[in-house]
Every structure is written in C-alpha cells, then in structure tokens.
Amino acid sequence: MNILLLSGRFHSKSKSLSILHFLQDAFPEHQFQLPKLDLLPFYTDDLNENKPDNVQDLIDQMALSDGIIVCSPE
C-alpha cells in the first residue's frame, strides 16, 4: 500500500512526526510519503490558476495514495 502521512506539527521534536515515523518503521512492507507541509504556501484562490510545483506534488501524492493518515495535536 502507498500511504500518505500528514503531520500537523513540523518542528524536529514534534510528537506528531514521531508517531508518523514510528508507523513507517513498524510497517516496512508499505510505502509511505511524508511531505514537508511547512513548505507549502498559504492558501489563496490565485493558486488555482498557477499551482506551485510543491502544491501540485502534494495533489499528485494524494491521488496516488491508497490511504491518508493525519496526525495532529488537538
């Protein structure tokens, strides 16, 4: 399975990232994508016309995923 992992926190000591890294280690038979969401621009309708490469990459990763896991602080 190809699973997209999304974290709601991005700093190096993030518990959300730690949990997602644990999942990667615990299930080596699956493929995981963990995009760097902190590099995405703020949303604006202007991006619908001319999407930056990293936005289009995330859209493509979502389309190719068999599942998505979101881990975020409350």
Side-chain angles (χ1 to χ4, degrees), residues 43-52 56:
Y43 177 78
T44 172
D45 286 334
D46 296 336
L47 295 179
N48 287 332
E49 296 295 320
N50 190 13
K51 292 177 180 65
Q56 188 59 54

Side-chain angles (χ1 to χ4, degrees), residues 7-73:
S7 176
R9 296 282 312 255
F10 311 113
H11 70 81
S12 61
K13 297 186 192 252
S14 162
K15 287 185 175 64
S16 296
L17 279 176
S18 294
I19 291 167
L20 295 177
H21 287 297
F22 169 80
L23 290 174
Q24 287 178 301
D25 294 339
F27 298 98
E29 67 275 15
H30 299 296
Q31 293 181 326
F32 294 94
Q33 303 294 322
L34 182 56
K36 295 181 103 2
L37 298 180
D38 54 334
L39 300 178
L40 294 173
F42 287 105
Y43 177 78
T44 172
D45 286 334
D46 296 336
L47 295 179
N48 287 332
E49 296 295 320
N50 190 13
K51 292 177 180 65
D53 289 342
N54 60 347
V55 171
Q56 188 59 54
D57 288 345
L58 180 60
I59 292 169
D60 294 343
Q61 287 175 349
M62 286 182 174
L64 295 173
S65 294
D66 296 310
I68 299 172
I69 297 175
V70 178
C71 188
S72 183

Side-chain angles (χ1 to χ4, degrees), residues 5-6 55:
L5 303 174
L6 303 177
V55 171

